[in-house]
C-alpha cells in the first residue's frame, strides 16, 4: 500500500512535492498523463530544472520510495491522493471551472473507501465544495481536503521544509488526516475553512502581482522623469523596514500570478480594479520598454537580441513569459530579432548566446539569468532588472 499518489505528479509542483514526501520516508507514486515526463522520472531524469531535485530523485529511487506511472489505477492502492494538475485560464482569461473535477472524474473508478483526497491545485473558489459533492455522488467514503501549494519554482525543495502548510477541510477527520500528511513536511500547520483557503491562495498570488505592478509603475514614472528607479529604490529601502519589500522593476509573468489574479477577478464578478490595473501595468511593460527604445534608436535599422526567454531567472519555464511578448513587439519594429536562453529547451527558434551577441546591435535582458550579469559585449545592454548593477534607465 502506497502512502501518497500524486495526480499531476510529474508537473512543476507535483514532482517536487513527491520528492519532498519521499525525503520524509513516504512511499509515493506520481500519476501523470505526460508519457515523456513519466519516462524521464523513471529513468532518474528530471523533466525540468529544480535545484536539489536531481539528487532528491536519485535518493528517492535508490530507497525505492518513488515511481511515476501513466496508469490511473495507481490511485486505488494508496492512502492519500493529492491532485495537483494545472489550472490555467483560457484565452479570454476565464478560469476553467471544471479542470479539477474532470481530472477526478477520470480517476473516480479507482477511488476507494477510507482514502484521503487532497486538492492541491490553485482553484477557483467553490471548487472544493464541487469536488465534495462529486465524491458524495460516487457514494464512496473519501475524506476531502484543500491544501494549497505556495512554493515558488526554483525554491521548491527548500520551501517545503520552511513554509507553513495551509490545511482546510469540512470534517474534523479530513482535517486531521490532511494535517498529519503535511506534518511530514513541516510542524507549522495553519487551519482554515476550504473557502478561506481557496481565497488565501489566490490572495497570496494576487498580492505579489500587485506589488510587482506597483514597482513597475514607479519604475516607469522615474524613468519618464529621467531618473534611475533603482537608485531611488535603494534609498527608499535602506534601513527602512516599512518599505523593505518594494520590488525592483522587471517582467512579472509566469504560469501563476497573472492567471490567479484573473481567477480572483472572475470570482468577484470582474470587479478587481487593483488586479486589473496590475495586469495593464505588468503586461504593458514590454511595450513600454520598446517605446523607450524607439526614442533612442532607429529600431528598423537594428538587430535586437533578447536575452532570456524563461519567465524568471535561472528557470527553464517559459510558460506565459513576457519575453515572448517583447519578441513579438520587436519583430514588428526591429530589422531582426534573435532570442536566446541557456535553460529553455522547448523553443526551436532559440540561438546560442554567442551567436546572438555577435549578430545583435542591441541586447535586452528579458529574463535575469545570472550569466548575463557579467556578459562582456560592445553593444548597449538594456537591463530593467539592474542585473548588471548599472541602473535601470531605458
Ligand atoms: N508552478 C508553480 O510554481 C506553482 C506554485 C504554486 C501553485 N501552483 C499551482 O499548482 C498547479 C499545478 O501547476 P504546475 O505548474 O505544476 O503545472 P504543470 O503543468 O507543470 O503540472 C501539471 C501536471 O499535471 C498533469 N496532468 C494534467 N491533467 C492531468 C490528469 N487529468 N491526470 C493526471 N495528470 C494530469 C500534466 O501532464 C502536468 O505534468 C496549478 O494549479 C498551479 O496554479 C503552481
Amino acid at each position: 500500500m502506497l502512502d501518497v499518489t500524486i495526480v499531476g505528479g510529474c508537473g512543476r509542483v507535483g514532482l517536487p512535492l513527491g520528492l519532498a514526501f519521499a525525503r520524509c520516508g513516504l512511499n509515493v507514486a506520481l500519476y501523470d498523463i505526460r508519457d515523456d515526463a513519466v519516462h524521464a522520472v523513471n529513468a532518474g531524469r528530471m523533466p525540468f530544472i529544480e535545484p536539489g531535485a536531481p539528487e532528491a530523485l536519485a535518493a528517492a529511487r535508490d530507497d525505492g520510495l518513488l515511481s511515476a506511472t501513466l496508469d490511473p489505477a495507481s490511485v486505488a492502492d494508496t492512502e492519500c491522493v493529492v491532485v495537483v494538475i494545472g489550472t490555467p485560464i483560457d484565452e479570454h482569461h476565464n478560469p476553467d471551472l471544471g479542470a479539477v473535477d474532470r481530472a477526478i472524474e477520470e480517476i473516480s473508478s479507482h477511488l476507494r473507501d477510507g482514502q484521503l483526497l487532497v486538492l492541491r491545485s490553485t482553484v477557483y473558489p467553490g471548487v472544493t465544495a464541487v469536488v465534495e459533492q462529486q465524491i458524495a455522488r460516487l457514494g464512496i467514503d473519501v475524506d476531502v481536503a484543500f491544501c494549497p501549494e505556495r512554493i515558488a519554482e526554483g525554491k521548491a525543495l527548500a520551501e517545503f521544509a520552511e513554509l507553513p502548510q495551509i490545511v482546510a477541510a469540512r470534517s474534523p477527520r479530513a482535517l486531521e488526516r490532511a494535517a498529519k500528511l503535511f506534518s511530514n513536511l513541516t510542524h507549522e500547520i495553519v487551519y482554515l475553512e476550504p473557502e478561506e483557503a481557496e481565497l488565501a491562495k489566490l490572495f497570496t498570488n494576487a498580492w505579489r502581482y500587485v506589488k510587482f505592478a506597483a514597482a513597475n509603475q514607479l519604475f516607469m514614472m522615474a524613468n519618464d522623469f529621467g531618473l534611475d528607479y533603482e537608485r531611488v529604490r535603494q534609498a527608499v529601502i535602506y534601513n527602512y523596514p516599512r518599505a523593505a519589500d518594494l520590488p525592483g522593476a522587471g517582467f512579472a509573468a509566469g504560469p501563476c500570478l497573472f492567471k490567479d489574479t484573473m481567477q480572483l477577478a472572475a470570482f468577484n464578478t470582474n470587479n478587481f480594479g487593483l488586479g486589473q490595473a496590475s495586469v495593464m501595468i505588468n503586461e504593458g511593460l514590454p511595450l513600454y520598454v520598446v517605446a523607450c527604445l524607439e526614442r533612442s534608436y532607429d529600431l528598423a535599422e537594428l538587430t535586437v537580441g533578447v536575452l532570456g526567454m524563461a519567465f524568471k531567472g535561472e528557470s527553464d519555464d517559459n510558460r506565459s513569459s513576457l519575453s515572448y511578448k517583447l519578441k513579438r513587439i520587436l519583430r514588428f519594429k526591429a530589422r531582426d530579432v534573435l532570442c536566446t536562453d541557456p535553460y529553455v529547451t522547448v523553443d526551436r527558434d532559440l540561438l546560442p548566446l554567442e551567436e546572438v551577441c555577435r549578430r545583435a546591435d542591441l541586447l535586452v535582458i528579458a529574463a535575469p539569468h545570472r550569466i548575463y550579469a557579467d556578459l562582456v559585449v560592445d553593444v548597449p545592454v538594456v537591463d530593467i532588472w539592474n542585473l548588471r548593477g548599472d541602473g535601470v534607465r531605458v
Side-chain angles (χ1 to χ4, degrees):
M1 176 89 156
L2 292 158
D3 297 306
V4 189
T5 295
I6 301 180
V7 179
C10 292
R12 299 263 173 180
V13 163
L15 179 48
L17 181 65
L19 292 172
F21 280 138
R23 193 167 60 181
C24 303
L26 302 190
N27 225 309
V28 180
L30 308 171
Y31 163 56
D32 207 292
I33 52 176
R34 270 188 53 200
D35 56 355
D36 56 337
V38 165
H39 290 129
V41 170
N42 285 336
R45 279 183 287 111
M46 282 296 294
F48 50 83
I49 294 176
E50 185 60 51
E55 299 80 2
L57 178 57
R61 284 168 41 79
D62 285 350
D63 295 344
L65 288 175
L66 181 126
S67 64
T69 177
L70 292 161
D71 183 2
S74 59
V75 162
D77 188 32
T78 192
E79 184 179 347
C80 306
V81 179
V82 178
V83 178
V84 68
I85 60 153
T87 48
I89 48 174
D90 69 14
E91 69 273 32
H92 305 293
H93 300 165
N94 296 312
D96 178 357
L97 301 185
V100 171
D101 49 306
R102 272 199 308 277
I104 290 171
E105 181 65 37
E106 285 163 25
I107 56 165
S108 59
S109 62
H110 305 291
L111 292 172
R112 299 277 175 265
D113 286 340
Q115 289 181 318
L116 170 69
L117 176 66
V118 176
L119 309 182
R120 187 88 171 154
S121 298
T122 303
V123 298
Y124 186 85
V127 165
T128 308
V130 168
V131 170
E132 287 166 336
Q133 290 156 17
Q134 186 184 15
I135 295 296
R137 277 197 305 276
L138 289 170
I140 45 177
D141 182 19
V142 167
D143 289 320
V144 177
F146 175 67
C147 307
E149 183 57 78
R150 295 191 296 167
I151 52 116
E153 287 180 34
K155 298 181 180 166
L157 285 168
E159 289 193 343
F160 281 125
E162 291 163 0
L163 296 181
Q165 292 288 330
I166 292 177
V167 167
R170 208 86 54 192
S171 81
R173 190 177 70 180
L175 196 66
E176 189 188 324
R177 292 181 72 188
K180 185 168 170 239
L181 175 63
F182 286 99
S183 296
N184 285 294
L185 304 180
T186 174
H187 296 301
E188 277 192 287
I189 304 287
V190 179
Y191 294 95
L192 287 178
E193 294 296 321
E195 287 70 29
E196 291 173 330
E198 290 169 339
L199 276 188
K201 173 61 201 181
L202 294 179
F203 285 179
T204 304
N205 279 2
W207 171 236
R208 202 162 150 71
Y209 193 67
V210 167
K211 273 206 290 194
F212 287 137
N216 284 330
Q217 180 140 57
L218 298 179
F219 155 65
M220 291 187 256
M221 201 182 287
N223 194 59
D224 288 341
F225 200 56
L227 296 179
D228 178 353
Y229 168 70
E230 192 53 27
R231 270 177 62 81
V232 181
R233 186 180 83 93
Q234 287 301 331
V236 169
I237 66 177
Y238 179 70
N239 279 350
Y240 193 69
R242 277 190 292 281
D245 61 348
L246 174 61
F251 291 157
C256 289
L257 301 188
F258 173 86
K259 69 115 173 147
D260 290 343
T261 304
M262 287 294 93
Q263 292 213 73
L264 204 48
F267 171 65
N268 205 35
T269 50
N270 213 28
N271 182 15
F272 184 21
L274 198 53
Q276 282 141 340
S278 301
V279 171
M280 301 296 284
I281 294 165
N282 288 331
E283 292 285 307
L285 193 54
L287 279 162
Y288 174 81
V289 169
V290 174
C292 292
L293 293 179
E294 280 185 299
R295 287 201 284 271
S296 308
Y297 302 98
D298 182 3
L299 288 180
E301 296 296 318
L302 300 184
T303 294
V304 182
V306 177
L307 305 182
M309 303 307 285
F311 82 90
K312 66 177 184 178
E314 310 314 311
S315 169
D316 61 349
D317 191 348
N318 67 350
R319 292 178 297 173
S320 306
S321 167
L322 283 174
S323 304
Y324 287 88
K325 185 165 184 175
L326 179 70
K327 176 185 174 184
R328 268 198 303 277
I329 303 161
L330 284 170
R331 266 199 163 154
F332 189 60
K333 306 269 186 183
R335 185 180 64 201
D336 202 0
V337 185
L338 311 174
C339 299
T340 184
D341 192 294
Y343 305 117
V344 171
T345 56
V346 293
D347 181 346
R348 285 163 178 242
D349 292 336
L350 300 188
L351 297 169
L353 175 61
E354 176 274 322
E355 181 178 345
V356 172
C357 291
R358 181 165 39 79
R359 291 174 52 195
D361 306 300
L362 174 68
L363 297 168
V364 182
I365 299 179
H369 298 319
R370 280 191 292 272
I371 50 159
Y372 305 139
D374 305 318
L375 198 63
V376 179
V377 283
D378 48 18
V379 295
V381 180
V382 176
D383 176 18
I384 60 167
W385 309 86
N386 197 36
L387 185 67
R388 295 162 72 79
D390 300 332
V392 298
R393 289 288 317 282
V394 189

